[in-house]
Amino acid sequence: MYELGVVYRNIVRTERNLADALSRYGTATVHEAMGRVGLMQPYMRSIYAGAQVSGTVVTVLMHPGDNWMMHVVAEQIQPGDIVVAAITAECTDGYFGDLLATSFKARGARALVIDAGVRDVKTLTEMPFPVWSKCISAKGTIKATPGSVNIPVVCAGALVNPGDVIVADDDGVVCVPRALAAKTLEAAAAREANEGAKRAKFAAGILGLDMYGMREPLAKAGLKYID
Amino acid sequence: MYELGVVYRNIVRTERNLADALSRYGTATVHEAMGRVGLMQPYMRSIYAGAQVSGTVVTVLMHPGDNWMMHVVAEQIQPGDIVVAAITAECTDGYFGDLLATSFKARGARALVIDAGVRDVKTLTEMPFPVWSKCISAKGTIKATPGSVNIPVVCAGALVNPGDVIVADDDGVVCVPRALAAKTLEAAAAREANEGAKRAKFAAGILGLDMYGMREPLAKAGLKYID
Amino acid sequence: MYELGVVYRNIVRTERNLADALSRYGTATVHEAMGRVGLMQPYMRSIYAGAQVSGTVVTVLMHPGDNWMMHVVAEQIQPGDIVVAAITAECTDGYFGDLLATSFKARGARALVIDAGVRDVKTLTEMPFPVWSKCISAKGTIKATPGSVNIPVVCAGALVNPGDVIVADDDGVVCVPRALAAKTLEAAAAREANEGAKRAKFAAGILGLDMYGMREPLAKAGLKYID
Amino acid sequence: MYELGVVYRNIVRTERNLADALSRYGTATVHEAMGRVGLMQPYMRSIYAGAQVSGTVVTVLMHPGDNWMMHVVAEQIQPGDIVVAAITAECTDGYFGDLLATSFKARGARALVIDAGVRDVKTLTEMPFPVWSKCISAKGTIKATPGSVNIPVVCAGALVNPGDVIVADDDGVVCVPRALAAKTLEAAAAREANEGAKRAKFAAGILGLDMYGMREPLAKAGLKYID
Amino acid sequence: MYELGVVYRNIVRTERNLADALSRYGTATVHEAMGRVGLMQPYMRSIYAGAQVSGTVVTVLMHPGDNWMMHVVAEQIQPGDIVVAAITAECTDGYFGDLLATSFKARGARALVIDAGVRDVKTLTEMPFPVWSKCISAKGTIKATPGSVNIPVVCAGALVNPGDVIVADDDGVVCVPRALAAKTLEAAAAREANEGAKRAKFAAGILGLDMYGMREPLAKAGLKYID
Amino acid sequence: MYELGVVYRNIVRTERNLADALSRYGTATVHEAMGRVGLMQPYMRSIYAGAQVSGTVVTVLMHPGDNWMMHVVAEQIQPGDIVVAAITAECTDGYFGDLLATSFKARGARALVIDAGVRDVKTLTEMPFPVWSKCISAKGTIKATPGSVNIPVVCAGALVNPGDVIVADDDGVVCVPRALAAKTLEAAAAREANEGAKRAKFAAGILGLDMYGMREPLAKAGLKYID
């Protein structure tokens, strides 16, 4: 967050199979599996419905209204990566469009997560190239000041380190630190394993009050029923 | 709004056929039929396009970040109900996902209206289970403090009493008080009856200026044409 | 912006073929072609995905919560026009619905751009009648105070004069002044001409760093690579 | 909230000494004394620092951009009242200035609480006449459509009934229902009674951890210390 | 708004005594005198309470995060001017601090009105140098891309031409076009002349209902009193 | 950011004289001295004007609506510390009031920086105890779930590590990492040393255009003057 004008070429990525496997579980499950932390703020929205991905992180830090580093980060992309872009101040400009998406896709990128705006969303949707962004804006940017690539960044309120795993879907974006990826995958799988049985019970009309044994703790907490 | 820790089990619902019939008319028509009151704030959006429902209200009041009462309100749902959820302070957390939706649906709920966030929106869309919410967020909640069920609540700026009727569609959410449901239905039907004829005239190129006789009042109000 | 209660009947529209041709290029290209100016703020969103239009501007200025002038502007619409509606103060009310859309369409309007809310969006989508707005709201309006038609207005941060060209798509809305339309069309075409070749190179894996010769200026600007 | 065009002249006000006594305790204490409910949203701010009042409520409901009812509610003010103004849709216009403040003050009003804008804040500050509002705006309003006086309203997320008590200070605005005023006053006094002793202990360096016996419950909840 | 990279050196300023005289009337009176138009959006706030100025406009248009043109506009300032700064996209950076304020003041500027952020507000307050801005931010800017000076700009929703008059106080900022300055001054004076008498009547307890003869029109509009 | 339920008792604080010396320079200077990074978002405002502090960081991470950890962090405060409080999701509740402020002050804390709300601001101002917060709210919190103390947190968009230095004033809040404190202090001093001379020149009417030699680069960048 503090080094400007540097590009780290060698980063340690989360093991591929771990990063890939996390996409199976949605952000809600992964975020719960991590102990309810790691989520970006809810203003981060997918540009089209239904996208669901996971991948290893390369980061880029840019200045307001300046997307020069997008071309620098493109070179650092490896297949299976997701680019996480942060800006040094609040900005709604459109940093990314269909040409850069073509470049990113050719390099093997799976998605872009950016705390600013993007444009050409119709074409991005057709490609398709998934993007989670703060907003959509046709506003172009300049190429004047270097930022950095592959330093730790804060994106939409979440700390993201290069090599971490991003999981993103219609519910939002969560960042899983590399050191926690294996444990999180395991916890997510465990959560998911239970969900099928629970869903069947709920569908049969069984109440959560009974399934989770909540009646007694609710009464202890003071809940009263009035007829 | 002031009683915490209570569940009212017996509420007087608006007559079923009244509550059902109101769904025929959109929120715009119903809100006009009520005299341009009763609308929730426009940040309340449907999680998918095209949903249009009406139903009788059961209410739930919860604390920020705590969805315990969702399981309590589930038991109070009767077929044809819509759950209206209010929070005691501003909150964007995801209070509701596909498991609770399965439970609500099994109990006969038609929709959820919540002044906070929801998650698993992809699955909710597939089910489909209609939700109108302030936002979408994967952020999970805890189960620590009781709130209340079936007390009057303020949801997105609108006062909602248990037993009222909610009408919701792509234009927003309107609450029709039980005592006004019959009169509102009548007024909505009357409005709608006129609309077909008006639409035909507009489609034929007739101007509202002429159809509504506005030229004279506009001139009286001072409007001037300049060539 | 300062004359209230007036309707200018005779405005000089941008030449039809210029206004029409600009729709071929998206807002991102047109806004760049103008030198990165003329865009409305990014909160202006299309009510449905995929709409892309251009047309000549007729303007209307209204008061908060009062849509009377919508009927006045309808009469001034000529085929190929786009209505640009501004409000004298921030307002989220629904100024426009399916009846007015039917009227506008019958007059030949291609779209509405409004710095406030609209309603009946389901029907507008089915017609289809494209609208770019600040929000969606079922809230109705009154008809009490005259505003103006075909005066210069500020809409979502952009100055719009009657007769200008609006270009709008999923990326936003841009206003091209009449005097700049020919030059902008030419510049947009020139930009677009280059894009196909660039896209092919990007798709082949060539980096922007090399295609645009950025490595040297980045090094001069102080960018450092660290292994 | 649903009756437009009516003025209730006879309302039952909370007993004067109860309404007056509540001003001694700030909004934070009163809101806690009510069980953490009844607060308006935090965007409601005093136009100058240091104001602290309580009083009995008269309500007024107005349309966006229309302050006609301000003159109607003025007649219903009795000494010791606070006017609570709600709008039927989001609006930032300046509904109230120094002339109306002079009128309200002459009638005995103690303050205005309004979910919209006010103006002449320099003069209001000099008078002084306390106002809590959503914003400050010089934007004027019209007088075209009747609203209502002394019906229940939702103001900044809180349900307010005529005759209730408003307590307002630099921390915000809380509404105490008439039926709960005596009990709330008692609970607030009890809270306050403890605060002096607690403050002295905190000032002496005693920790809340020890004063409230939190170490054991924290350990039970899983908190771990790491050296 | 469309010419980038130009500085107009010769502008026609509103006559000095007109521009000066308007400061006597607040923004609320001036905005009413113009017919309730010309106001900037209410997010424009003074950095300290009590400032009230008027002056002739010099404009500057800048890019997001780039304050280079602030030094260019400084040279164009004449005694009695107010600088109005617009940005080509939404930006919250701090474009202006105590050094530039010293320069502006030395050139005779009376104030800055900027649709972005400023910094060093403590020193600006001590000088004092009045500023109306969207926000306060320590975030610095670069000097990379030319904008323009003395072209028409849109600032916080208002169209501002070089040579116009800005009136600003605690209620906001209003722009009076040069051609309307004399007429607006006259209308403002007329409004103000009446206010003293009205204030005295209000202070004596006379109601607006009676002073303005509103009882009959309210009854005609349908207002009903209920005892 | 990822460890919940832990308290780190031993942290390495920035050297006292470095942390103290940074308060001499405002946030604008310090943020520039760091290369224009490290600033919290501009919504972070001081609860009263004129506060200016620096100090070593202890961090606390809490859940929405739950301030239990405030009492835990109090024990970890050493004289000269500033508490930086982050929340795991967006929240506007009032986490901190005059009792906690008394406790923090008794422990030697210099200020609180919190990405949520505070209350009792009148008393905090009188004490005085400086607070920078997202908002002010009387809304109380519960004590149900442990968070963490002295782990890295993201506060208002900035990464903050325990032991770092916070500099805060009317312009905002900047975080200086421990490793950069000495270098930043030096750079800030160097910047400040130049400012006096510059200010004198600006006050004498010398233009930045000449003082900084900007005329040539502006011409090269294409700026044109038009008479």
Side-chain angles (χ1 to χ4, degrees):
Chain A
M1 309 211 27
Y2 301 107
E3 266 181 307
L4 288 175
V6 296
V7 180
Y8 284 89
R9 267 195 284 235
N10 298 315
I11 62 171
V12 184
R13 286 171 171 81
T14 301
E15 210 187 320
R16 177 59 44 208
N17 63 339
L18 285 178
D20 289 0
L22 278 162
S23 77
R24 247 179 279 151
Y25 309 99
T27 53
T29 298
V30 169
H31 144 82
E32 292 281 358
M34 287 179 67
R36 292 207 318 277
V37 294
L39 261 185
M40 293 190 186
Q41 290 182 354
Y43 62 71
M44 295 296 284
R45 296 285 93 204
S46 175
I47 58 167
Y48 54 86
Q52 179 160 346
V53 301
S54 66
T56 41
V57 170
V58 292
T59 69
V60 57
L61 181 67
M62 296 176 288
H63 290 283
D66 189 321
N67 82 337
W68 209 4
M69 296 306 288
M70 279 295 193
H71 291 284
V72 178
V73 75
E75 192 176 26
Q76 307 307 316
I77 294 169
Q78 293 186 5
D81 281 346
I82 290 178
V83 176
V84 174
I87 318 297
T88 60
E90 291 179 69
C91 186
T92 60
D93 290 359
Y95 279 74
F96 182 89
D98 71 322
L99 287 182
L100 272 166
T102 304
S103 178
F104 276 33
K105 204 171 182 177
R107 307 291 298 181
R110 287 186 182 158
L112 170 70
V113 173
I114 181 166
D115 196 0
V118 294
R119 55 190 195 173
D120 300 330
V121 295
K122 198 176 185 173
T123 310
L124 297 178
T125 303
E126 288 161 5
M127 295 179 67
F129 188 82
V131 176
W132 283 259
S133 70
K134 181 160 96 176
C135 61
I136 292 165
S137 171
K139 182 74 168 67
T141 48
I142 60 168
K143 298 179 202 319
T145 313
S148 289
V149 166
N150 283 333
I151 62 167
V153 297
V154 172
C155 182
L159 175 62
V160 181
N161 281 283
D164 287 352
V165 181
I166 285 290
V167 181
D169 61 16
D170 288 344
D171 291 343
V173 184
V174 63
C175 177
V176 183
R178 186 166 56 90
L180 304 180
K183 197 178 122 195
T184 300
L185 181 62
E186 207 174 312
R191 281 186 73 89
E192 195 91 334
N194 287 327
E195 296 226 327
K198 285 185 199 166
R199 196 174 289 111
K201 285 183 187 170
F202 277 130
I206 297 174
L207 290 165
L209 289 175
D210 299 311
M211 190 154 72
Y212 300 122
M214 288 172 169
R215 292 190 191 272
E216 198 189 353
L218 278 163
K220 268 192 193 159
L223 190 69
K224 283 186 182 57
Y225 285 82
I226 299 172
D227 284 322
Chain B
M1 311 212 24
Y2 300 108
E3 266 181 306
L4 288 176
V6 295
V7 180
Y8 284 89
R9 266 194 286 234
N10 297 317
I11 62 171
V12 183
R13 286 171 171 81
T14 301
E15 209 186 321
R16 176 60 44 210
N17 63 337
L18 285 178
D20 289 359
L22 279 161
S23 77
R24 249 178 278 149
Y25 310 100
T27 53
T29 296
V30 169
H31 144 83
E32 293 281 358
M34 287 179 67
R36 293 207 318 276
V37 294
L39 260 184
M40 294 191 186
Q41 290 183 353
Y43 62 71
M44 294 296 283
R45 297 285 93 204
S46 174
I47 58 167
Y48 54 87
Q52 179 160 345
V53 302
S54 67
T56 40
V57 170
V58 292
T59 68
V60 58
L61 180 66
M62 296 177 286
H63 290 283
D66 189 322
N67 82 337
W68 208 4
M69 297 305 288
M70 279 294 193
H71 291 284
V72 177
V73 76
E75 191 177 26
Q76 306 307 318
I77 294 170
Q78 294 186 4
D81 281 347
I82 290 178
V83 177
V84 174
I87 318 297
T88 60
E90 292 180 67
C91 186
T92 60
D93 290 359
Y95 279 72
F96 182 89
D98 71 323
L99 287 182
L100 272 166
T102 304
S103 177
F104 277 32
K105 206 173 179 175
R107 307 291 298 180
R110 289 187 182 158
L112 170 70
V113 172
I114 180 165
D115 197 0
V118 293
R119 55 189 194 173
D120 300 331
V121 295
K122 199 177 185 172
T123 310
L124 296 178
T125 303
E126 288 162 4
M127 296 179 67
F129 188 82
V131 177
W132 283 259
S133 69
K134 181 160 98 176
C135 62
I136 293 165
S137 171
K139 182 73 167 69
T141 48
I142 61 168
K143 298 180 203 323
T145 314
S148 290
V149 166
N150 283 333
I151 62 167
V153 297
V154 172
C155 181
L159 176 62
V160 180
N161 280 283
D164 287 350
V165 180
I166 285 290
V167 182
D169 59 17
D170 288 344
D171 292 343
V173 184
V174 63
C175 176
V176 183
R178 187 165 55 91
L180 303 180
K183 195 178 124 194
T184 300
L185 181 61
E186 206 174 313
R191 283 186 71 88
E192 195 89 334
N194 287 326
E195 296 226 328
K198 285 186 199 166
R199 197 174 289 110
K201 285 183 188 169
F202 277 131
I206 296 174
L207 288 165
L209 289 176
D210 299 312
M211 191 153 71
Y212 299 122
M214 288 172 170
R215 292 190 192 272
E216 199 188 354
L218 278 164
K220 268 192 193 156
L223 190 67
K224 283 187 182 58
Y225 285 82
I226 298 172
D227 284 323
Chain C
M1 310 211 26
Y2 300 107
E3 266 181 305
L4 288 176
V6 295
V7 180
Y8 285 90
R9 267 194 284 236
N10 298 315
I11 62 171
V12 185
R13 285 171 171 81
T14 301
E15 210 186 319
R16 176 61 43 210
N17 64 337
L18 285 178
D20 288 0
L22 278 161
S23 78
R24 247 178 279 150
Y25 310 99
T27 54
T29 297
V30 169
H31 145 82
E32 292 280 359
M34 288 179 66
R36 293 209 317 276
V37 295
L39 261 184
M40 292 190 187
Q41 289 183 353
Y43 63 71
M44 294 297 284
R45 297 285 92 206
S46 174
I47 58 167
Y48 53 87
Q52 179 160 347
V53 302
S54 66
T56 41
V57 169
V58 293
T59 68
V60 58
L61 181 66
M62 296 176 288
H63 289 283
D66 189 319
N67 83 337
W68 208 5
M69 297 304 288
M70 279 295 194
H71 291 284
V72 178
V73 75
E75 191 177 26
Q76 307 306 317
I77 294 170
Q78 294 186 4
D81 281 346
I82 290 177
V83 177
V84 174
I87 318 298
T88 60
E90 292 179 68
C91 187
T92 60
D93 290 359
Y95 279 73
F96 182 90
D98 72 322
L99 286 182
L100 273 167
T102 304
S103 178
F104 276 32
K105 203 172 181 178
R107 308 290 298 179
R110 289 188 180 156
L112 170 70
V113 173
I114 181 166
D115 196 0
V118 294
R119 55 190 194 172
D120 299 330
V121 296
K122 197 176 186 174
T123 309
L124 297 178
T125 303
E126 287 161 5
M127 296 180 66
F129 188 81
V131 176
W132 283 259
S133 69
K134 181 160 98 177
C135 62
I136 292 165
S137 171
K139 183 73 168 66
T141 49
I142 60 168
K143 297 179 205 319
T145 313
S148 290
V149 166
N150 283 333
I151 62 167
V153 296
V154 172
C155 182
L159 176 61
V160 180
N161 280 283
D164 286 351
V165 181
I166 285 290
V167 182
D169 60 17
D170 288 344
D171 292 343
V173 184
V174 63
C175 176
V176 183
R178 186 166 56 90
L180 303 181
K183 197 178 123 194
T184 300
L185 180 62
E186 207 174 311
R191 281 187 73 89
E192 194 91 334
N194 287 326
E195 296 227 326
K198 284 186 200 166
R199 197 174 289 110
K201 284 184 187 170
F202 277 130
I206 296 174
L207 289 165
L209 288 176
D210 298 313
M211 191 153 73
Y212 299 121
M214 287 171 170
R215 293 190 191 272
E216 200 188 352
L218 278 163
K220 268 193 191 156
L223 189 68
K224 282 188 183 58
Y225 286 81
I226 298 171
D227 284 323
Chain D
M1 307 207 30
Y2 300 106
E3 265 181 307
L4 289 176
V6 295
V7 180
Y8 284 90
R9 268 195 286 235
N10 298 315
I11 61 171
V12 184
R13 285 172 172 81
T14 301
E15 208 187 322
R16 177 59 45 209
N17 64 337
L18 284 179
D20 289 359
L22 279 161
S23 78
R24 246 177 280 148
Y25 310 99
T27 53
T29 297
V30 170
H31 145 83
E32 292 281 359
M34 288 178 67
R36 294 206 320 276
V37 295
L39 260 184
M40 294 192 185
Q41 289 183 354
Y43 63 69
M44 295 296 284
R45 297 285 93 205
S46 174
I47 59 167
Y48 54 87
Q52 179 160 345
V53 301
S54 67
T56 41
V57 170
V58 291
T59 68
V60 58
L61 180 66
M62 296 176 287
H63 289 284
D66 189 321
N67 82 336
W68 208 5
M69 296 305 288
M70 279 296 194
H71 291 284
V72 178
V73 75
E75 191 176 26
Q76 306 307 318
I77 294 170
Q78 294 185 3
D81 280 348
I82 290 177
V83 177
V84 174
I87 318 297
T88 60
E90 292 179 67
C91 187
T92 61
D93 290 359
Y95 279 74
F96 183 89
D98 70 321
L99 287 182
L100 272 167
T102 303
S103 178
F104 276 32
K105 204 172 181 176
R107 307 291 297 180
R110 288 186 181 159
L112 170 69
V113 172
I114 180 165
D115 196 0
V118 294
R119 56 189 194 173
D120 301 329
V121 295
K122 198 176 185 172
T123 309
L124 297 178
T125 303
E126 287 160 6
M127 294 179 68
F129 188 81
V131 177
W132 281 259
S133 69
K134 182 161 98 176
C135 62
I136 292 165
S137 171
K139 182 73 168 65
T141 47
I142 60 168
K143 296 178 203 325
T145 313
S148 290
V149 165
N150 282 334
I151 62 167
V153 297
V154 171
C155 182
L159 176 62
V160 180
N161 280 284
D164 286 352
V165 181
I166 285 290
V167 182
D169 60 17
D170 288 343
D171 292 343
V173 184
V174 64
C175 176
V176 183
R178 187 164 57 90
L180 303 180
K183 195 178 123 194
T184 300
L185 181 62
E186 206 174 312
R191 280 186 74 89
E192 194 91 334
N194 287 326
E195 295 227 328
K198 284 186 200 167
R199 196 174 290 108
K201 283 184 188 169
F202 276 131
I206 296 173
L207 289 165
L209 289 176
D210 298 312
M211 191 152 72
Y212 299 121
M214 288 171 170
R215 292 189 192 274
E216 199 187 352
L218 279 163
K220 269 192 191 158
L223 189 69
K224 283 190 181 57
Y225 286 83
I226 298 172
D227 286 323
Chain E
M1 308 207 29
Y2 301 106
E3 267 181 306
L4 289 176
V6 295
V7 180
Y8 285 89
R9 267 194 285 235
N10 298 316
I11 62 170
V12 184
R13 286 171 171 80
T14 302
E15 210 187 321
R16 176 59 45 210
N17 63 338
L18 285 179
D20 289 359
L22 279 161
S23 77
R24 246 179 279 149
Y25 310 100
T27 53
T29 298
V30 169
H31 145 82
E32 292 281 359
M34 288 179 66
R36 293 206 320 276
V37 294
L39 261 185
M40 293 190 185
Q41 290 182 353
Y43 63 71
M44 295 295 285
R45 297 284 92 205
S46 174
I47 58 167
Y48 53 87
Q52 178 159 346
V53 302
S54 67
T56 41
V57 169
V58 292
T59 68
V60 58
L61 181 65
M62 296 177 287
H63 289 284
D66 188 320
N67 82 338
W68 208 5
M69 296 305 288
M70 279 294 194
H71 292 284
V72 178
V73 75
E75 192 177 26
Q76 307 307 318
I77 294 169
Q78 293 186 4
D81 281 347
I82 290 178
V83 176
V84 175
I87 318 297
T88 60
E90 291 179 68
C91 186
T92 59
D93 290 359
Y95 278 74
F96 183 88
D98 71 322
L99 287 182
L100 272 167
T102 303
S103 178
F104 276 33
K105 204 171 182 178
R107 307 291 297 180
R110 287 185 183 159
L112 170 70
V113 173
I114 181 166
D115 197 1
V118 294
R119 56 189 194 173
D120 300 330
V121 296
K122 198 176 185 173
T123 309
L124 297 178
T125 302
E126 287 161 5
M127 295 180 67
F129 188 81
V131 175
W132 283 259
S133 69
K134 182 160 98 175
C135 61
I136 292 165
S137 171
K139 182 74 168 67
T141 49
I142 61 168
K143 297 177 203 323
T145 313
S148 289
V149 166
N150 282 333
I151 63 167
V153 297
V154 172
C155 181
L159 176 61
V160 181
N161 281 282
D164 286 351
V165 181
I166 285 290
V167 182
D169 60 17
D170 287 344
D171 291 344
V173 184
V174 64
C175 177
V176 183
R178 186 164 59 87
L180 302 181
K183 196 179 122 194
T184 300
L185 181 61
E186 207 174 310
R191 281 186 73 89
E192 194 91 336
N194 287 327
E195 296 226 326
K198 284 186 201 167
R199 197 174 288 109
K201 284 183 188 169
F202 277 130
I206 296 173
L207 288 165
L209 289 176
D210 299 311
M211 191 153 71
Y212 299 122
M214 289 171 170
R215 292 189 192 273
E216 199 188 353
L218 279 163
K220 269 192 193 159
L223 190 68
K224 282 188 183 57
Y225 285 82
I226 299 173
D227 284 324
Chain F
M1 308 214 23
Y2 300 107
E3 267 181 305
L4 288 176
V6 296
V7 180
Y8 284 89
R9 269 194 284 236
N10 298 316
I11 62 171
V12 184
R13 285 170 170 82
T14 301
E15 210 187 320
R16 177 59 45 209
N17 63 338
L18 285 178
D20 289 359
L22 278 162
S23 77
R24 247 178 279 150
Y25 310 100
T27 53
T29 298
V30 168
H31 146 83
E32 292 281 359
M34 287 179 67
R36 293 206 319 276
V37 294
L39 260 184
M40 292 188 187
Q41 289 184 353
Y43 63 70
M44 294 295 286
R45 298 285 92 204
S46 174
I47 57 167
Y48 54 87
Q52 180 160 344
V53 302
S54 67
T56 40
V57 170
V58 293
T59 68
V60 58
L61 180 67
M62 295 176 289
H63 289 283
D66 189 321
N67 82 338
W68 208 5
M69 296 305 287
M70 279 294 194
H71 292 283
V72 177
V73 74
E75 191 176 27
Q76 306 306 318
I77 294 170
Q78 294 186 4
D81 280 346
I82 290 177
V83 176
V84 174
I87 318 298
T88 60
E90 291 180 68
C91 187
T92 60
D93 290 359
Y95 279 74
F96 182 89
D98 71 321
L99 287 183
L100 272 167
T102 303
S103 178
F104 276 32
K105 203 171 181 178
R107 307 292 297 179
R110 287 185 182 160
L112 170 70
V113 172
I114 180 165
D115 197 0
V118 294
R119 57 189 193 173
D120 300 330
V121 295
K122 197 175 186 174
T123 309
L124 297 178
T125 303
E126 287 162 5
M127 295 180 65
F129 188 81
V131 176
W132 282 259
S133 69
K134 182 160 97 176
C135 62
I136 292 165
S137 171
K139 181 74 167 67
T141 48
I142 60 167
K143 297 178 204 323
T145 314
S148 289
V149 166
N150 284 332
I151 63 167
V153 296
V154 171
C155 181
L159 176 61
V160 180
N161 280 283
D164 286 351
V165 180
I166 285 291
V167 182
D169 60 17
D170 287 343
D171 291 344
V173 184
V174 63
C175 176
V176 183
R178 187 165 56 91
L180 302 180
K183 196 178 123 194
T184 300
L185 180 62
E186 208 174 310
R191 281 186 73 89
E192 193 91 335
N194 286 327
E195 295 226 327
K198 284 186 201 168
R199 197 174 289 110
K201 283 183 188 170
F202 276 130
I206 296 174
L207 289 165
L209 289 176
D210 298 312
M211 192 153 72
Y212 300 121
M214 288 172 170
R215 293 190 192 273
E216 200 187 352
L218 278 163
K220 269 192 192 158
L223 189 69
K224 283 189 180 57
Y225 285 83
I226 298 172
D227 286 323

